[in-house]
């Protein structure tokens, strides 16, 4: 079972547009620039990063523990310029094989990682 934080999830989803206008989008764009191959995104939230992945990325495995945010992310994954698969999981239990990615992306999530 993955952790659920329904109040936080809904508040975060409502706050994201303002965060993005205040530099969140540019932060994500810089973070993702130069990536290539297979990427795992830990704590994908509502999917704000998906539209910013460069064409050099083959695929993204987006891990999100919260059901509400994962549902929002799934909708954004459909419009992403690269293939994005949104799955339940946490940083401590990423549903991927060892060596299953060329890069791992984390942003605004490490405060929730226990170890």
């Amino acid at each position: 079972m993955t952790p659920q934080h329904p109040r936080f999830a809904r508040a975060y989803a409502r706050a994201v547009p303002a965060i993005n206008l205040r530099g969140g989008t540019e932060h994500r764009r810089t973070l993702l620039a130069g990536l290539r191959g297979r990427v795992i995104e830990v704590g994908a939230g509502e999917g704000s990063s998906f539209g910013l992945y460069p064409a050099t990325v083959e695929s993204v495995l987006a891990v999100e523990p919260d059901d509400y945010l994962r549902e929002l992310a799934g909708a954004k994954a459909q419009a992403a310029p690269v293939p994005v698969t949104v799955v339940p999981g946490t940083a401590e239990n990423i549903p991927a094989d060892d060596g299953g990615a060329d890069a791992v992306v984390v942003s605004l999530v490490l405060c929730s990682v226990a170890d």
Side-chain angles (χ1 to χ4, degrees), residues 10-20 22:
R10 283 166 176 72
Y12 178 74
R14 284 191 307 272
V16 166
I19 292 168
N20 288 344
R22 290 187 172 117

Side-chain angles (χ1 to χ4, degrees), residues 23-59:
T25 297
E26 288 311 309
H27 166 76
R28 288 181 180 94
R29 191 180 317 280
T30 300
L31 179 68
L32 303 176
L35 291 180
R36 61 187 68 251
R38 298 165 298 157
V39 176
I40 295 174
E41 182 174 337
V42 177
E46 44 56 82
S48 286
S49 297
F50 299 167
L52 305 173
Y53 277 97
T56 51
V57 170
E58 295 170 21
S59 64

